[in-house]
Amino acid sequence: AQSVTQLGSHVSVSEGALVLLRCNYSSSVPPYLFWYVQYPNQGLQLLLKYTTGATLVKGINGFEAEFKKSETSFHLTKPSAHMSDAAEYFCAVSADTGRRALTFGSGTRLQVQP
Amino acid sequence: SAVISQKPSRDICQRGTSLTIQCQVDSQVTMMFWYRQQPGQSLTLIATANQGSEATYESGFVIDKFPISRPNLTFSTLTVSNMSPEDSSIYLCSGGGTGAGNTIYFGEGSWLTVV
């Protein structure tokens, strides 16, 4: 079975500051890792995903994440926060185990202060 | 990519009634799922909607409470039966390809409040 832990239910940064949202996973087989964003009163939108190959993955809106197998991590970063980045961010995992559905972390709410 | 539409987007329901949520995908997807997101919480998988057969439910969810249909590759429904205030949640439809690395796309969600 897979699981995801997101450290920090709330993260607050100043506009222009580095954004770092943490995600650690557990999986007995090679994982596929995803970051989704949920803006207020909206559904989920894919930011980026790691499947195979390059471990540094670039996504939309300037976000990127690095898959580190040794640390079982897939942290999300953005060099400079923008007010429009304020949202809920979810890390998710799946794997080739027959259970196709995503398993989500608890989410991190990002606040961006002016 | 796939665009997923859900309706209703919001509803206020009376205790003891049932409501059916419809999910339409703009292209054929192999897999469809229904998730629940309770207020301020993460997403919990309710079931995998299987085309032409009974859905596969996760632990804690039963067919009598959450009957699901999927008559074809682009349409599914979720019914929330005999609702109570504890059923007040966002219900999200999602879909994607078979491979575990394929992107799963989500609808905008159906926001149900039970009074």
Side-chain angles (χ1 to χ4, degrees):
Chain A
Q2 299 84 46
S3 66
V4 174
T5 301
Q6 290 184 241
L7 296 177
S9 59
H10 289 81
V11 171
S12 182
V13 301
S14 299
E15 191 172 19
L18 171 72
V19 175
L20 170 61
L21 305 183
R22 299 178 185 275
C23 172
N24 288 88
Y25 70 89
S26 173
S27 178
S28 57
V29 298
Y32 301 104
L33 295 159
F34 304 78
W35 276 100
Y36 284 85
V37 60
Q38 185 177 36
Y39 297 104
N41 301 318
Q42 295 188 25
L44 272 71
Q45 179 182 7
L46 179 71
L47 275 177
L48 49 80
K49 68 177 181 180
Y50 169 79
T51 54
T52 59
T55 56
L56 181 62
V57 180
K58 295 185 184 299
I60 62 171
N61 301 339
F63 285 93
E64 62 182 37
E66 186 171 10
F67 170 62
K68 293 187 176 181
K69 183 178 179 180
S70 61
E71 299 177 8
T72 62
S73 69
F74 191 57
H75 301 330
L76 182 71
T77 61
K78 182 175 181 177
S80 177
H82 192 273
M83 296 296 290
S84 61
D85 295 326
E88 187 88 19
Y89 291 80
F90 292 97
C91 183
V93 64
S94 68
D96 289 322
T97 60
R99 186 181 189 275
R100 174 66 181 89
L102 294 170
T103 299
F104 283 87
S106 55
T108 298
R109 181 165 298 277
L110 176 66
Q111 290 182 309
V112 182
Q113 307 292 340
Chain B
S1 66
V3 176
I4 299 181
S5 304
Q6 288 184 235
K7 59 180 180 181
S9 56
R10 291 180 182 270
D11 209 336
I12 298 175
C13 308
Q14 295 296 318
R15 186 193 302 251
T17 63
S18 299
L19 181 79
T20 296
I21 302 166
Q22 297 181 3
C23 176
Q24 180 73 53
V25 188
D26 70 340
S27 58
Q28 292 187 349
V29 291
T30 310
M31 310 297 296
M32 290 184 75
F33 308 96
W34 286 95
Y35 285 84
R36 181 175 73 182
Q37 185 179 23
Q38 294 179 301
Q41 302 296 316
S42 185
L43 284 78
T44 301
L45 181 67
I46 297 172
T48 301
N50 300 309
Q51 184 200 357
S53 64
E54 188 172 295
T56 304
Y57 289 86
E58 296 296 301
S59 176
F61 297 95
V62 295
I63 187 171
D64 290 346
K65 177 67 175 177
F66 298 101
I68 289 170
S69 76
R70 188 181 175 190
N72 56 54
L73 287 174
T74 62
F75 186 77
S76 179
T77 66
L78 167 73
T79 299
V80 186
S81 303
N82 188 25
M83 285 185 284
S84 67
E86 292 72 34
D87 295 319
S88 297
S89 291
I90 306 169
Y91 293 86
L92 292 131
C93 175
S94 61
T98 304
N102 288 345
T103 299
I104 298 293
Y105 299 92
F106 284 81
E108 294 285 306
S110 296
W111 300 59
L112 303 188
T113 301
V114 184
V115 297

